[in-house]
Every structure is written in structure tokens, then in C-alpha cells.
């Protein structure tokens, strides 16, 4: 009596694999289509920088739309959303070395990722658990992507070594075909692997989060201690701001994954104290960054990068402040860990909204520079 179920499950897995690999091939092909019209990667890097997410994310969304069998109206809305994003990614007359163009390229996938979440949750975005599952999926996707990229890099190195023994240089082929096509297709394949192997690796991201949380806490405390001890100010160049924001986003990611792996019925423990210290340290680091950005704006005026960094750090500040409040209440026995989980997942659209503001409004506001 179990055979039909086994056959049915195997058939579903095969169907999902076929769809995923087909979409991956399409994504790889889309990367090369502009070259047919003379838009080559080595000559039009900015075009690819702006549009790379549009080569991949619509196909990833299509995978989830197919998997959850969304109605035709949802498919139409998805098409409108991605077409609109494509128009705004290419309609603005950016100047050479435009900061707003770079900001658009960085923020566009963040704005569109919210729509990926809506399709991933199968129309249950209003449920906290569904949003948390999407957060977990995003972390697992990143891990799988890195692992596949490392494997692909090793394969490429061995291939170059082998072909080099007969005097054939595959570097041009690697740069123009393997790297761009493989990078695009791997997003779809990694997503399928996360979905199909979730039962075996579902706890991978939370486990890594628990391992790295004490390390990040120590790093932030050391950083803040050195600032206080030395009296040194924080430099506010673009690379520093990006590094700062990445650290703060990773901190929030660690918080989310640790919450997702935690037994909601368990009482507060030592690791919860470490989490609170991490959140408060990140909050103080964010305050330092905000102060440095504000001073820079006061002295030298507004620029796209400074305003974008200011906005993102304010968005992070609100999240961190209330996270610290909620977690402290939990430690004192006056709140639930579910309250913190609900707050974090409810706050997810704020990041996409801010990213959409940067994509749509920053270029004209700053003269496309």
C-alpha cells in the first residue's frame, strides 16, 4: 500500500528537479542574450550590474509560483512587478561613475526579495511562521550558494590545470561563459536543493548562527572598546559604510536564526544573555555609525551614499532598539520569545520598502550622479 505514495513522492521530486534545472538553464541563457545585441559583459559592466537580479529573480519567483500553483492573476501581478523593476533599472540617464546607479543595483534585489518571499510562502505571508520559514530559506540559500560556488571554483581550477597541460587557455571561456552563466543558474539550483533537502539541512543555518554568535559578540565589544580607549573616530568612506551595514545585517541574521532554532517553551538561558549582549553591542555600533554619518553630512553635505547609509542605519536602529527591549523583557520573564520572532518577521517589509525608495527616488533626487 506504500508503493503508490513512494512513486508519487519520487514523481514530485523529479518534476521539481526538471523545472528547477530548466529555469536554471534559462537564467544562464538570459545572461548571454544581451551579448547578441552587442552588450558584452566586459564592455557594459554597469548594464549587467543593474540588471543581474532581473535575469534570475523572476525565474526563481516562477519556480515558487509553479510549485504553489498560484492563480493567473498572481502570475500577471508578478510579471508587472518585474517589468516595472526592469523599466526603472534601465530608464534613468545615469552619469558616468554614478553613485545612484550603484545604489540602484545594490538595492533592487532587496526590494524584489520581498516578492520572492510572498511567492515562497504560498500566499501565507501574513503568518509569522511562514515568514520565519522564508528567513530560514534565505539563509540556507546563501550557504548552499557559497558551497556550490566553491565547488564550481575548484572544478574550474582543475579544468584550467588539465587544459593547460595541452596548451589551451580556458580563462576567456571561463570569464565570458562559465562565470556569468553559472552564477545565474546556481541561484535556482541552490534554491531547489534547499527545498528538496530541507529535512536533512533545515537546522544548518541556526547551527552556524549559534557557533558564530559569541564570535560576533566578542568582535563588536572589542571594536567598541577600542573606540572608547583610543578616542579614534570612525572613517565614513563608502567601503566602511558597506562593511558596517553588512556586520549589522549579519547580526540580525544571527539573531533570527538562533530564535528559529530555539524551543519557544524553554526558559531563558545563558545563550539568551549572549544574544542580548550581541544586540546591544550592535545597537551601540549602529549609533556610532549614525553619528559618524551625521557629522560627515553636516561637514560636507548630502550625497547619495551618505543618505542611503543614513536611512539604512536608521531602519536598523529601530529594529535593534525594539529587539533589545523585547529580548530583555523575555529575560525578565515579562515577555515571550514569540513576541521577538513576530517583531522580526513583521519588520522584513521595511527593508524592501527602503530599498524601493532608493531605487525609484534617489536617481532623480540626486541628478542621476
Amino acid at each position: 500500500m506504500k508503493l503508490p505514495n513512494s512513486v508519487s513522492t519520487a514523481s514530485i521530486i523529479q518534476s521539481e528537479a526538471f523545472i528547477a534545472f530548466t529555469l536554471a538553464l534559462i537564467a544562464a541563457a538570459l545572461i548571454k542574450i544581451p551579448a547578441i545585441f552587442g552588450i558584452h559583459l566586459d564592455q557594459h559592466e554597469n548594464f549587467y550590474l543593474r540588471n543581474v537580479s532581473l535575469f534570475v529573480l523572476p525565474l526563481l519567483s516562477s519556480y515558487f509560483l509553479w510549485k504553489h500553483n498560484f492563480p493567473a492573476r498572481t502570475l500577471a501581478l508578478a510579471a508587472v512587478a518585474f517589468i516595472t523593476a526592469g523599466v526603472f533599472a534601465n530608464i534613468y540617464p545615469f552619469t558616468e561613475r554614478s553613485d545612484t546607479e550603484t545604489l540602484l543595483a545594490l538595492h533592487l534585489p532587496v526590494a524584489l526579495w520581498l516578492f520572492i518571499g510572498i511567492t515562497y510562502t504560498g500566499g501565507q505571508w501574513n503568518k509569522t511562521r511562514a515568514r520565519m520559514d522564508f528567513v530560514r530559506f534565505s539563509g540556507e540559500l546563501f550557504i548552499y550558494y557559497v558551497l556550490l560556488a566553491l565547488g564550481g571554483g575548484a572544478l574550474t581550477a582543475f579544468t584550467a590545470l588539465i587544459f593547460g597541460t595541452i596548451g589551451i587557455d580556458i580563462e576567456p571561456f571561463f570569464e565570458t561563459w562559465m562565470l556569468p552563466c553559472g552564477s545565474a543558474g546556481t541561484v535556482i539550483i541552490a534554491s531547489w536543493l534547499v527545498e528538496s533537502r530541507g529535512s536533512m539541512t533545515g537546522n544548518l543555518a541556526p547551527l552556524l548562527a549559534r557557533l558564530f554568535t559569541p564570535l560576533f559578540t566578542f568582535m563588536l565589544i572589542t571594536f567598541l572598546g577600542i573606540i572608547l580607549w583610543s578616542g579614534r573616530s570612525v572613517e565614513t568612506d563608502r567601503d566602511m559604510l558597506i562593511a558596517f551595514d553588512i556586520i549589522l545585517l549579519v547580526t540580525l541574521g544571527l539573531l533570527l536564526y538562533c530564535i528559529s532554532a530555539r524551543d519557544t517553551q524553554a526558559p531563558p538561558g545563558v545563550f539568551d544573555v549572549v544574544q542580548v549582549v550581541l544586540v546591544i553591542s550592535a545597537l551601540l555600533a549602529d549609533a556610532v555609525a549614525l553619528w559618524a554619518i551625521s557629522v560627515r553630512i553636516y561637514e560636507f553635505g548630502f550625497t547619495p551614499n551618505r543618505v542611503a547609509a543614513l536611512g539604512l542605519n536608521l531602519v536598523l536602529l529601530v529594529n535593534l532598539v525594539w529587539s533589545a527591549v523585547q529580548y530583555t523583557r523575555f529575560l525578565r520573564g515579562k515577555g515571550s520569545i514569540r513576541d521577538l520572532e513576530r517583531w522580526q518577521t513583521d519588520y522584513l517589509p521595511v527593508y524592501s520598502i527602503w530599498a524601493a525608495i532608493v531605487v525609484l527616488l534617489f536617481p532623480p533626487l540626486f541628478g542621476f550622479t
Side-chain angles (χ1 to χ4, degrees):
M1 294 297 293
K2 295 183 179 180
L3 182 59
N5 291 334
S6 301
V7 173
S8 177
T9 302
S11 177
I12 292 173
I13 293 175
Q14 290 176 2
S15 298
E16 292 187 358
F18 175 77
I19 294 297
F21 277 87
T22 300
L23 291 173
L25 290 174
I26 295 174
L30 286 177
I31 288 285
K32 297 302 298 181
I33 286 179
I36 299 175
F37 302 95
I39 306 176
H40 298 283
L41 178 60
D42 57 343
Q43 299 172 355
H44 299 85
E45 292 181 359
N46 288 356
F47 169 83
Y48 285 91
L49 186 67
R50 295 194 310 269
N51 290 278
V52 64
S53 59
L54 295 171
F55 293 134
V56 180
L57 295 188
L59 296 170
L60 180 57
S61 179
S62 298
Y63 173 66
F64 294 129
L65 289 169
W66 167 82
K67 184 174 181 178
H68 297 298
N69 195 24
F70 277 91
R73 184 176 65 177
T74 305
L75 295 175
L77 290 174
V80 169
F82 285 109
I83 290 173
T84 302
V87 169
F88 279 97
N90 295 281
I91 197 174
Y92 288 136
F94 293 106
T95 60
E96 187 176 356
R97 296 181 179 179
S98 168
D99 288 334
T100 54
E101 184 178 22
T102 302
L103 288 171
L104 182 147
L106 291 173
H107 286 78
L108 184 59
V110 179
L112 293 176
W113 199 245
L114 175 64
F115 193 80
I116 299 296
I118 294 173
T119 56
Y120 172 84
T121 55
Q124 300 184 33
W125 181 256
N126 59 325
K127 297 182 179 179
T128 301
R129 179 49 54 184
R131 295 194 298 270
M132 182 60 76
D133 288 341
F134 175 63
V135 171
R136 191 179 297 110
F137 161 79
S138 300
E140 296 284 352
L141 172 59
F142 173 77
I143 293 170
Y144 267 84
Y145 189 89
V146 170
L147 292 176
L148 290 173
L150 291 173
L155 176 62
T156 301
F158 284 123
T159 304
L161 181 63
I162 292 173
F163 276 86
T165 61
I166 57 175
I168 297 178
D169 182 14
I170 68 165
E171 184 175 347
F173 174 76
F174 169 74
E175 292 178 350
T176 58
W177 284 92
M178 289 184 65
L179 181 59
C181 295
S183 299
T186 299
V187 175
I188 311 295
I189 299 302
S191 299
W192 168 72
L193 286 173
V194 173
E195 286 291 274
S196 62
R197 307 301 180 192
S199 60
M200 292 192 301
T201 60
N203 293 322
L204 180 58
L207 174 61
L208 292 177
R210 291 183 70 88
L211 290 173
F212 280 97
T213 292
L215 298 177
F216 266 82
T217 304
F218 177 76
M219 181 269 294
L220 284 175
I221 292 176
T222 302
F223 169 75
L224 293 170
I226 290 175
I227 289 179
L228 291 175
W229 180 73
S230 65
R232 297 181 60 180
S233 60
V234 177
E235 300 294 333
T236 54
D237 59 23
R238 185 171 66 180
D239 292 339
M240 185 284 298
L241 293 176
I242 292 174
F244 234 99
D245 291 337
I246 289 175
I247 290 172
L248 294 175
L249 290 171
V250 169
T251 298
L252 287 174
L254 291 173
L255 175 64
L256 273 168
Y257 291 127
C258 289
I259 293 173
S260 71
R262 194 186 189 285
D263 181 0
T264 56
Q265 303 300 320
V270 175
F271 192 80
D272 293 304
V273 176
V274 175
Q275 285 278 88
V276 172
V277 174
L278 173 64
V279 172
I280 294 176
S281 300
L283 179 59
L284 294 175
D286 192 16
V288 171
L290 280 170
W291 172 258
I293 296 167
S294 300
V295 170
R296 195 73 172 177
I297 290 175
Y298 177 78
E299 292 180 348
F300 301 103
F302 293 94
T303 66
N305 289 330
R306 291 172 196 152
V307 176
L310 179 65
L312 177 57
N313 279 273
L314 287 173
V315 168
L316 292 171
L317 181 70
V318 173
N319 192 335
L320 290 167
V321 167
W322 195 242
S323 295
V325 171
Q326 293 278 48
Y327 222 140
T328 302
R329 282 172 53 83
F330 170 68
L331 287 181
R332 297 174 61 190
K334 296 183 178 181
S336 167
I337 200 68
R338 291 187 182 277
D339 295 332
L340 180 59
E341 182 180 279
R342 189 178 303 110
W343 161 250
Q344 289 293 339
T345 57
D346 285 348
Y347 202 75
L348 290 176
V350 176
Y351 298 107
S352 289
I353 292 171
W354 172 246
I357 291 173
V358 175
V359 169
L360 300 176
L361 300 183
F362 271 43
L365 282 177
F366 290 97
F368 309 102
T369 58

